[in-house]
Amino acid sequence: MSIPESIDSSRLPRHIAIIMDGNGRWAKERGEDRVYGHYEGVVSVREIVDACGAIGIGYLTLYAFSAENWNRPKAEVDALMELLVNTIRKEVDDLKKNNVRMHVIGDFESLPEICQKELNEAIEITAGNTGLNLILALSYSSRDEIARAARVLAAKAVEGTIDIKDINDEAIAQNLYTHNFPDPELMIRTSGECRISNFLLYQLAYAELYFTNVHWPDFRKPHLYEALLNYQQRERRFGKTSEQINMTNPTQS
Ligand code: IPE
Ligand code: IPE
Ligand code: MG
């Protein structure tokens, strides 16, 4: 399925961030264990990664496991970690072939060693790729990320390597996990929950937020295209007026 004509391929977001939610409910609705939903969610991940690569999206951040998700029952956490390892192992060759470069954001050291090893290998194997940047948010907490940045900047101020007046929004952005990536223009959350759940709080400052009732294991290309179409119908004003945005000659402002 190619991209629908109604989508303007010259106005796609550079960076899409997705809160992949609803796996557990999707499975329960089918009388299955929550973990079955996580397995099926991987099928959606594959399809959405392929679609984003094919249409030329630069960056796709997937919220796969939050720092708060460690508080789930141990059996579910273990299953998720195992699924992560197996999926990376299985998909890494295709990622390489499809020119996808993998990155991880979050508290990497808190992941089981086997996950760290698989992830590091995949990051290394795909490091030379120049297509889609696939960023997995794992053991990720945005508040923790901001606190880390504050600690780094405070330490530099104490050392005297940064002047306090230079601690501005750019300095904070430069010390977030995401310092090499542009901010997402579009954030999608599946499964009907309309909250951010500690995801990219700083980076989403001006993102367009899109919420859909579709559970993640059902989220496929047509749903992504629907989100992109919706995104393109919005007017992004960044504090300005609509008249300013639509003005063809900016000198008349
Ligand atoms: C998202 O689905 C996947 C993770 C958080 C790992 P959930 O597991 O949160 O599914 P629901 O929200 O309980 O249905
Ligand atoms: C957010 O989903 C985390 C991920 C999708 C990985 P949750 O299902 O954990 O969020 P809450 O608890 O409903 O806010
Ligand atoms: Mg959930």
Side-chain angles (χ1 to χ4, degrees):
M1 183 179 173
S2 60
I3 188 166
E5 272 175 25
S6 47
I7 296 176
D8 178 351
S9 53
S10 69
R11 289 196 308 121
L12 290 170
R14 263 221 297 170
H15 186 170
I16 302 175
I18 307 184
I19 302 181
M20 308 183 291
D21 199 15
N23 295 354
R25 277 164 286 164
W26 184 90
K28 287 279 162 203
E29 282 167 14
R30 284 158 181 77
E32 300 280 352
D33 189 80
R34 293 176 51 83
V35 171
Y36 176 62
H38 298 316
Y39 292 147
E40 288 299 306
V42 174
V43 182
S44 301
V45 170
R46 199 176 299 128
E47 179 157 329
I48 298 308
V49 169
D50 279 355
C52 285
I55 63 178
I57 300 294
Y59 302 82
L60 172 67
T61 298
L62 298 178
Y63 202 7
F65 192 84
S66 72
E68 291 78 14
N69 288 148
W70 290 116
N71 298 320
R72 291 194 177 188
K74 186 176 180 305
E76 182 170 342
V77 171
D78 289 350
L80 279 166
M81 292 301 142
E82 198 182 316
L83 180 63
L84 175 65
V85 169
N86 292 338
T87 304
I88 300 291
R89 216 172 259 167
K90 217 165 94 197
E91 299 295 328
V92 67
D93 289 344
D94 277 351
L95 292 178
K96 181 161 168 67
K97 203 172 70 206
N98 296 334
N99 204 16
V100 177
R101 182 172 179 185
M102 209 179 85
H103 310 263
V104 173
I105 57 171
D107 184 11
F108 197 76
E109 276 76 44
S110 69
L111 295 167
E113 259 176 46
I114 175 76
C115 292
Q116 293 188 34
K117 183 173 162 287
E118 274 323 306
L119 290 165
N120 273 328
E121 276 178 27
I123 291 166
E124 212 181 295
I125 289 169
T126 62
N129 284 352
T130 54
L132 176 70
N133 286 281
L134 171 62
I135 303 149
L136 296 183
L138 291 166
S139 192
Y140 177 84
S141 152
S142 184
R143 286 184 167 180
D144 180 60
E145 177 185 36
I146 295 167
R148 278 166 188 252
R151 281 198 295 279
V152 171
L153 291 167
K156 284 185 180 167
V158 170
E159 276 167 23
T161 52
I162 193 168
D163 202 277
I164 286 182
K165 72 171 172 23
D166 294 328
I167 300 182
N168 50 23
D169 61 350
E170 188 48 35
I172 293 170
Q174 281 309 316
N175 285 282
L176 299 176
Y177 294 128
T178 50
H179 60 96
N180 285 326
F181 316 129
D183 286 344
E185 294 96 337
L186 172 64
M187 196 288 290
I188 300 171
R189 182 169 188 153
T190 59
S191 91
E193 308 299 354
C194 299
R195 55 177 171 260
I196 303 293
S197 301
N198 206 4
F199 184 49
L200 302 176
L201 301 178
Y202 198 83
Q203 299 88 336
L204 293 178
Y206 260 106
E208 298 299 324
L209 307 182
Y210 178 85
F211 299 98
T212 169
N213 288 331
V214 174
H215 290 319
W216 178 250
D218 284 332
F219 192 88
R220 294 300 151 93
K221 279 182 203 180
H223 303 106
L224 175 71
Y225 298 150
E226 216 174 296
L228 288 169
L229 197 59
N230 183 289
Y231 165 80
Q232 291 190 339
Q233 284 159 355
R234 301 191 190 185
E235 183 177 66
R236 307 190 70 211
R237 289 192 287 278
F238 301 98
K240 294 185 178 176
T241 66
S242 190
E243 289 72 19
Q244 284 176 297
I245 300 297
N246 291 308
M247 199 146 49
T248 44
N249 183 355
T251 55
Q252 288 174 0
S253 57

